[in-house]
Amino acid sequence: MSDEAIAIFQVEARENLELIEQGLLDLLERPEDRDLVDAVFRGLHTLKGSGSMFGFDALAGFTHHCETAFDRVRKGEVAATTDLVSAVLAARDHMRRLMEDPSGDHAAAGDVLLAALERAVREADDAGTPADKGPALTTWKIAFDLPSNAFKNGTNPLALLAELRDLGEAVVKVDTSRIPTLDRIDPTDHHLAWTVVLTTDQGRAAIEDVFIFVMDDITLSIEALDGAPAETVVEEVVVADVPAPVAAAPVEAADAGKAARAAESVRVPADRLDELMDRVGELVIAQSRLSQLADNGADLGLRAVSEEIARLSGELRDTMMVLRMVPVATLFGRFRRLVHDLARETGKAIELSTDGETTEIDKTVIERLADPLVHLIRNAADHGLESAEDRAAAGKPATGRIRLAAHQSGGEVVITIRDDGRGIDRDRVRAKAEAQGLIEPGAAISDPDLLQMIFHPGFSTAAAVTNLSGRGVGMDVVKRTIEALRGSIDIASRPGEGSEVSLRIPLTLAIIDGLLVRVGHGRYVIPLGAVEECLELSLDEDMRSRGRSFISLRNSLVPFLRLREMFDTGTPPELHQKVVVVSTGEERIGLVVDQIIGDHQTVIKSMSKLHAGLPTFSGATILGDGGVALILDVAHLVAQGQQQEAQMREAV
């Protein structure tokens, strides 16, 4: 088996394992849902078959035991108890290890898991299931037609018929009307169609499982006949007196239609997308240089070509961005298993709910958000949620709730993690901060700044160290990761009601629309998604606002920062300065610049190690003339402006 074929199998096996895990987690909530049982069984059956096909014998053998256990659940012989589902969940993790490391020594671990699975099945069997009546029988009419190249692909219709007979009583009929004359027949082609009337106690899913490995190529119809009795098992061959030759065109058209459907989705390695994104970024920079040359010249033909290339590169950029965007559901789905395991470890009843799963975000951002969210959810489960006894004493339901939500706000995605636990103990946070020398004893500090203390390295308010938390490692990693994504963290907490952590993350880390401005002799980019409006600030108004740095904007005061002073440009102010009003969430400030140059497609480049620690800038970009413009970190500037406003209000 080639390395490429094995890599394809492993990718598909990972997806199948994810579906199995989601189905098992759903079963914990709806153990009587037969569709879920059938879906999990199909997943195990597929994994076993494909594993055996690709030479993963240990995986196929181990999965067979889990499939057998779930077959008993599917047949109604045992119930889908919590212990049984949890045992299969643990076995699912072992299947992944066998898939990713087939040559490793996993036999001992597998034996332990199979013993636990056998024990769970035995306990579920002892619990018993309603079996006073025999299983209900249903009669199905199954019609299937294999493609003409079925024999060449190794498909044996007799084996399919044998599997159908194993499900119950069957009447099998074959349609031979499409067999061509002897002078036109190709013995390697398939020309038959089959109709089976099957009476069985199995559901539709069991019938679909028979065709699971040929489902993409087969024409299949399964119809319930409302319990109509089946005839005695008979195989009837229908032979036409004069076989009519079959026209090739309809078959070719059908095959073309199937090929078109198969081509609707193509699997592309993520690194190829990243490489293509880099090329698009370089194209955008080159197009920007071409536009500048065309604008400075008098050649109308060059200008027309430049505008056309600008349009095409913009469309290519937008298409590329869409390809990289994935729904956060792919991220949120991972945490159902995490919460299930946390509930078993802590002994608490925990319910996870999600909202806004269709919100899309760059795939690179998704990958880097996984670890921070794991830390936050673990802290919410261990520190935030109380035990069932404490919740009852506080008048709360015994089940603690953790809620994950996402929504888009301008050029950002806001992800919130909320729990209904005890909240953060401010007194304990302050005492710990003073003990570590983070704040002076008795010093005045705002509530948001106090809560931000939990993100300092080594900071923990846990009374004892547990397997989950308490060592003060993790929350500082969360903060560093989010800031590396050019994002920000807000935290709010109410004693006895719970806490909420909000992560504000840019939609993409690759190319953004920016507003190019000039401050002194330098040029800077402000992310366009954060820009609300632009105003003019005359020199007289600038002088009048000295000492307070506020502008009146539709009956509200907005603080502003003079970037010329922040960056120490050493240049006098322009006669007609501009104020660019930016916002993050509900907070907004004005940024005073000397000139607004215009929109700019900004290809984000990382800062050098020498400049990586500058909080005011989140990156850099290359301009059309080859110069460099720094990208302003709007979240940091807004926080600085709000701090300045608070200081001025206290002074008043």
Side-chain angles (χ1 to χ4, degrees), residues 172-185:
V172 181
K173 295 185 179 181
V174 59
D175 180 3
T176 61
S177 61
R178 296 186 311 178
I179 298 178
T181 57
L182 286 176
D183 59 329
R184 299 178 54 127
I185 194 168

PDB file of all heavy atoms in Angstrom, residues 172-185:
ATOM      1  N   VAL A 172     -35.718 -12.551  -3.931  1.00  0.00           N
ATOM      2  CA  VAL A 172     -34.748 -11.885  -4.789  1.00  0.00           C
ATOM      3  C   VAL A 172     -35.161 -12.058  -6.243  1.00  0.00           C
ATOM      4  O   VAL A 172     -35.446 -13.174  -6.697  1.00  0.00           O
ATOM      5  CB  VAL A 172     -33.332 -12.464  -4.566  1.00  0.00           C
ATOM      6  CG1 VAL A 172     -32.318 -11.740  -5.438  1.00  0.00           C
ATOM      7  CG2 VAL A 172     -32.943 -12.375  -3.094  1.00  0.00           C
ATOM      8  N   LYS A 173     -35.196 -10.969  -6.979  1.00  0.00           N
ATOM      9  CA  LYS A 173     -35.488 -10.999  -8.408  1.00  0.00           C
ATOM     10  C   LYS A 173     -34.398 -10.243  -9.146  1.00  0.00           C
ATOM     11  O   LYS A 173     -33.918  -9.218  -8.665  1.00  0.00           O
ATOM     12  CB  LYS A 173     -36.849 -10.365  -8.706  1.00  0.00           C
ATOM     13  CG  LYS A 173     -38.024 -11.132  -8.114  1.00  0.00           C
ATOM     14  CD  LYS A 173     -39.346 -10.516  -8.536  1.00  0.00           C
ATOM     15  CE  LYS A 173     -40.515 -11.306  -7.959  1.00  0.00           C
ATOM     16  NZ  LYS A 173     -41.823 -10.748  -8.384  1.00  0.00           N
ATOM     17  N   VAL A 174     -34.037 -10.763 -10.297  1.00  0.00           N
ATOM     18  CA  VAL A 174     -33.003 -10.123 -11.089  1.00  0.00           C
ATOM     19  C   VAL A 174     -33.594  -9.708 -12.433  1.00  0.00           C
ATOM     20  O   VAL A 174     -34.386 -10.434 -13.038  1.00  0.00           O
ATOM     21  CB  VAL A 174     -31.793 -11.067 -11.295  1.00  0.00           C
ATOM     22  CG1 VAL A 174     -32.193 -12.357 -11.985  1.00  0.00           C
ATOM     23  CG2 VAL A 174     -30.692 -10.370 -12.094  1.00  0.00           C
ATOM     24  N   ASP A 175     -33.242  -8.526 -12.873  1.00  0.00           N
ATOM     25  CA  ASP A 175     -33.701  -7.986 -14.148  1.00  0.00           C
ATOM     26  C   ASP A 175     -32.569  -8.135 -15.157  1.00  0.00           C
ATOM     27  O   ASP A 175     -31.506  -7.536 -15.017  1.00  0.00           O
ATOM     28  CB  ASP A 175     -34.087  -6.515 -13.976  1.00  0.00           C
ATOM     29  CG  ASP A 175     -34.566  -5.887 -15.271  1.00  0.00           C
ATOM     30  OD1 ASP A 175     -34.644  -6.603 -16.283  1.00  0.00           O
ATOM     31  OD2 ASP A 175     -34.863  -4.675 -15.266  1.00  0.00           O
ATOM     32  N   THR A 176     -32.816  -8.974 -16.189  1.00  0.00           N
ATOM     33  CA  THR A 176     -31.784  -9.229 -17.205  1.00  0.00           C
ATOM     34  C   THR A 176     -32.081  -8.530 -18.520  1.00  0.00           C
ATOM     35  O   THR A 176     -31.465  -8.844 -19.544  1.00  0.00           O
ATOM     36  CB  THR A 176     -31.672 -10.740 -17.454  1.00  0.00           C
ATOM     37  OG1 THR A 176     -32.948 -11.218 -17.929  1.00  0.00           O
ATOM     38  CG2 THR A 176     -31.296 -11.478 -16.178  1.00  0.00           C
ATOM     39  N   SER A 177     -33.015  -7.597 -18.506  1.00  0.00           N
ATOM     40  CA  SER A 177     -33.470  -6.998 -19.762  1.00  0.00           C
ATOM     41  C   SER A 177     -32.400  -6.153 -20.449  1.00  0.00           C
ATOM     42  O   SER A 177     -32.528  -5.842 -21.633  1.00  0.00           O
ATOM     43  CB  SER A 177     -34.714  -6.150 -19.518  1.00  0.00           C
ATOM     44  OG  SER A 177     -34.421  -5.093 -18.620  1.00  0.00           O
ATOM     45  N   ARG A 178     -31.361  -5.804 -19.713  1.00  0.00           N
ATOM     46  CA  ARG A 178     -30.340  -4.947 -20.318  1.00  0.00           C
ATOM     47  C   ARG A 178     -29.165  -5.724 -20.893  1.00  0.00           C
ATOM     48  O   ARG A 178     -28.209  -5.130 -21.376  1.00  0.00           O
ATOM     49  CB  ARG A 178     -29.817  -3.939 -19.287  1.00  0.00           C
ATOM     50  CG  ARG A 178     -30.858  -2.957 -18.810  1.00  0.00           C
ATOM     51  CD  ARG A 178     -30.239  -1.902 -17.923  1.00  0.00           C
ATOM     52  NE  ARG A 178     -29.402  -2.501 -16.890  1.00  0.00           N
ATOM     53  CZ  ARG A 178     -28.708  -1.799 -15.987  1.00  0.00           C
ATOM     54  NH1 ARG A 178     -28.761  -0.480 -16.024  1.00  0.00           N
ATOM     55  NH2 ARG A 178     -27.980  -2.398 -15.087  1.00  0.00           N
ATOM     56  N   ILE A 179     -29.211  -7.041 -20.844  1.00  0.00           N
ATOM     57  CA  ILE A 179     -28.103  -7.824 -21.382  1.00  0.00           C
ATOM     58  C   ILE A 179     -28.101  -7.687 -22.906  1.00  0.00           C
ATOM     59  O   ILE A 179     -29.102  -7.980 -23.566  1.00  0.00           O
ATOM     60  CB  ILE A 179     -28.236  -9.307 -20.983  1.00  0.00           C
ATOM     61  CG1 ILE A 179     -28.181  -9.447 -19.454  1.00  0.00           C
ATOM     62  CG2 ILE A 179     -27.141 -10.143 -21.645  1.00  0.00           C
ATOM     63  CD1 ILE A 179     -28.346 -10.863 -18.965  1.00  0.00           C
ATOM     64  N   PRO A 180     -27.018  -7.251 -23.485  1.00  0.00           N
ATOM     65  CA  PRO A 180     -26.981  -7.086 -24.944  1.00  0.00           C
ATOM     66  C   PRO A 180     -26.850  -8.433 -25.653  1.00  0.00           C
ATOM     67  O   PRO A 180     -26.692  -9.485 -25.019  1.00  0.00           O
ATOM     68  CB  PRO A 180     -25.740  -6.218 -25.154  1.00  0.00           C
ATOM     69  CG  PRO A 180     -24.870  -6.524 -23.989  1.00  0.00           C
ATOM     70  CD  PRO A 180     -25.787  -6.802 -22.834  1.00  0.00           C
ATOM     71  N   THR A 181     -26.916  -8.390 -26.959  1.00  0.00           N
ATOM     72  CA  THR A 181     -26.760  -9.604 -27.751  1.00  0.00           C
ATOM     73  C   THR A 181     -25.327 -10.110 -27.654  1.00  0.00           C
ATOM     74  O   THR A 181     -24.408  -9.378 -27.263  1.00  0.00           O
ATOM     75  CB  THR A 181     -27.120  -9.319 -29.218  1.00  0.00           C
ATOM     76  OG1 THR A 181     -26.304  -8.255 -29.690  1.00  0.00           O
ATOM     77  CG2 THR A 181     -28.588  -8.930 -29.349  1.00  0.00           C
ATOM     78  N   LEU A 182     -25.141 -11.396 -28.030  1.00  0.00           N
ATOM     79  CA  LEU A 182     -23.829 -12.019 -27.864  1.00  0.00           C
ATOM     80  C   LEU A 182     -22.738 -11.310 -28.649  1.00  0.00           C
ATOM     81  O   LEU A 182     -21.586 -11.253 -28.218  1.00  0.00           O
ATOM     82  CB  LEU A 182     -23.901 -13.497 -28.293  1.00  0.00           C
ATOM     83  CG  LEU A 182     -24.632 -14.432 -27.319  1.00  0.00           C
ATOM     84  CD1 LEU A 182     -24.724 -15.832 -27.914  1.00  0.00           C
ATOM     85  CD2 LEU A 182     -23.926 -14.462 -25.979  1.00  0.00           C
ATOM     86  N   ASP A 183     -23.107 -10.751 -29.798  1.00  0.00           N
ATOM     87  CA  ASP A 183     -22.072 -10.098 -30.591  1.00  0.00           C
ATOM     88  C   ASP A 183     -21.646  -8.757 -30.010  1.00  0.00           C
ATOM     89  O   ASP A 183     -20.647  -8.179 -30.431  1.00  0.00           O
ATOM     90  CB  ASP A 183     -22.559  -9.911 -32.043  1.00  0.00           C
ATOM     91  CG  ASP A 183     -23.822  -9.070 -32.102  1.00  0.00           C
ATOM     92  OD1 ASP A 183     -24.610  -9.144 -31.130  1.00  0.00           O
ATOM     93  OD2 ASP A 183     -24.023  -8.350 -33.090  1.00  0.00           O
ATOM     94  N   ARG A 184     -22.415  -8.264 -29.026  1.00  0.00           N
ATOM     95  CA  ARG A 184     -22.068  -6.966 -28.418  1.00  0.00           C
ATOM     96  C   ARG A 184     -21.674  -7.076 -26.952  1.00  0.00           C
ATOM     97  O   ARG A 184     -21.257  -6.099 -26.349  1.00  0.00           O
ATOM     98  CB  ARG A 184     -23.268  -6.005 -28.510  1.00  0.00           C
ATOM     99  CG  ARG A 184     -23.715  -5.709 -29.934  1.00  0.00           C
ATOM    100  CD  ARG A 184     -24.923  -4.794 -29.889  1.00  0.00           C
ATOM    101  NE  ARG A 184     -24.609  -3.608 -29.105  1.00  0.00           N
ATOM    102  CZ  ARG A 184     -24.790  -2.364 -29.546  1.00  0.00           C
ATOM    103  NH1 ARG A 184     -25.265  -2.154 -30.745  1.00  0.00           N
ATOM    104  NH2 ARG A 184     -24.490  -1.333 -28.791  1.00  0.00           N
ATOM    105  N   ILE A 185     -21.813  -8.243 -26.378  1.00  0.00           N
ATOM    106  CA  ILE A 185     -21.609  -8.367 -24.928  1.00  0.00           C
ATOM    107  C   ILE A 185     -20.125  -8.341 -24.575  1.00  0.00           C
ATOM    108  O   ILE A 185     -19.277  -8.859 -25.310  1.00  0.00           O
ATOM    109  CB  ILE A 185     -22.266  -9.668 -24.405  1.00  0.00           C
ATOM    110  CG1 ILE A 185     -22.366  -9.628 -22.879  1.00  0.00           C
ATOM    111  CG2 ILE A 185     -21.461 -10.899 -24.839  1.00  0.00           C
ATOM    112  CD1 ILE A 185     -23.248 -10.717 -22.308  1.00  0.00           C
TER     113      ILE A 185
END
